[in-house]
Amino acid sequence: MHKGNNTKAMSLAIAFFKGNVTLSLIATGVLIGVALLQFVPIVGVFFLFVYPVLAFAIQVYVGRLTADVTDEDDMAERAAESTLGDLFLKHIDVAVGGFLGFFLIFFTLGMIFFLLLGTSVDFAALSRNDAQAFVVSMLTPGNLITLAVLLIVGTFLGYVFPGVMGEVILADDFAAAFKKSLLLLSPKFWKRTFNGTYFVLVLVWSLIVMAVSFVISVLGSSIVLLPVALVLVYLLSLYNASVYIFAHDALE
């Protein structure tokens, strides 16, 4: 499947979910369980990394199906044949490699911006519950420039990210996935994203993600509607996986 759009990605996500509702609900339950284990003392640190890897593994699995199926009916059939092991473990090496690459990139960038701000921002004010002093220290001309640069860099990387994710999802193994994740910092790869098809796909995707995330946050504030919010989170993940493959195709 090539040159898909957001409508197609949404249809494929729903088709996968409906094709094996039991699998999707169990997978959602597993992710919830792992997320809760993050709050357990000591071992919680381990599950802090397990959760994003498992969530990533689902996207790799569904993304590769997106690249392989012909239509929604085909996706539903493939979902019906899928097992929990397929969803979480079939491409776990790719998920770990991609996650590790992205983690190192964002950790390094975060440390750089933290160091740039740390010399003049009064972070100690937060421990004193002195929000006013913290805000005043943030609003210096130098810090405002740093924050503006952070916003610009973050927005640009967010624009490039779907294409890079498509490359990572289709990687053959751990090493290839790790290497593909580093394309996020490649000017040569950035140039490939400067085309109309990719721009429209990512723009519409970002608006949909923001809208759905808002709905999820509203639903998640209610205990009664929380299960609906969690299912939407899972569906959003499936939708994202298909968009990443279409983003990859738009760069071909």
Side-chain angles (χ1 to χ4, degrees):
M1 182 177 293
H2 300 280
K3 309 303 181 186
N5 53 36
N6 284 276
T7 301
K8 193 71 172 179
M10 208 172 295
S11 297
L12 288 173
I14 294 172
F16 183 88
F17 184 89
K18 292 172 62 177
N20 198 334
V21 175
T22 301
L23 174 66
S24 293
L25 293 180
I26 293 175
T28 301
V30 170
L31 291 176
I32 293 171
V34 173
L36 292 175
L37 288 172
Q38 296 177 32
F39 298 99
V40 177
I42 302 176
V43 297
V45 176
F46 171 73
F47 289 101
L48 189 65
F49 292 96
V50 171
Y51 179 86
V53 169
L54 292 181
F56 200 165
I58 293 176
Q59 291 191 318
V60 174
Y61 182 75
V62 175
R64 292 170 84 101
L65 285 184
T66 298
D68 190 46
V69 301
T70 55
D71 54 31
E72 288 82 352
D73 291 336
D74 194 10
M75 176 65 92
E77 290 177 7
R78 298 291 290 274
E81 298 169 354
S82 300
T83 66
L84 197 63
D86 292 333
L87 209 57
F88 286 121
L89 301 177
K90 188 170 184 178
H91 304 295
I92 191 67
D93 56 334
V94 173
V96 173
F99 169 76
L100 181 60
F102 288 129
F103 175 80
L104 291 176
I105 290 172
F106 288 113
F107 178 79
T108 301
L109 291 177
M111 287 300 298
I112 290 174
F113 279 103
F114 177 78
L115 291 174
L116 289 174
L117 291 172
T119 57
S120 55
V121 174
D122 186 10
F123 288 105
L126 294 177
S127 62
R128 301 193 306 268
N129 293 321
D130 190 350
Q132 183 176 359
F134 174 75
V135 171
V136 170
S137 68
M138 285 288 291
L139 296 181
T140 63
N143 287 337
L144 289 176
I145 292 174
T146 300
L147 291 173
V149 171
L150 175 60
L151 178 62
I152 293 171
V153 171
T155 300
F156 180 74
L157 293 182
Y159 172 73
V160 176
F161 183 74
V164 177
M165 276 291 290
E167 295 280 351
V168 172
I169 287 174
L170 297 175
D172 294 327
D173 50 33
F174 171 89
F178 180 84
K179 183 178 179 181
K180 291 291 187 180
S181 69
L182 302 182
L183 289 174
L184 193 64
L185 303 178
S186 169
K188 185 177 180 180
F189 184 83
W190 297 345
K191 293 180 182 179
R192 293 170 55 193
T193 67
F194 300 150
N195 70 72
T197 302
Y198 182 87
F199 175 80
V200 172
L201 176 72
V202 173
L203 176 62
V204 175
W205 166 75
S206 63
L207 294 175
I208 291 174
V209 168
M210 284 190 292
V212 175
S213 296
F214 174 76
V215 172
I216 290 172
S217 66
V218 172
L219 295 176
S221 63
S222 168
I223 296 296
V224 176
L225 297 176
L226 182 59
V228 178
L230 296 173
V231 171
L232 279 179
V233 170
Y234 179 79
L235 277 169
L236 182 61
S237 175
L238 302 184
Y239 161 69
N240 288 343
S242 292
V243 169
Y244 297 150
I245 295 301
F246 294 153
H248 169 271
D249 292 341
L251 301 180
E252 293 296 300

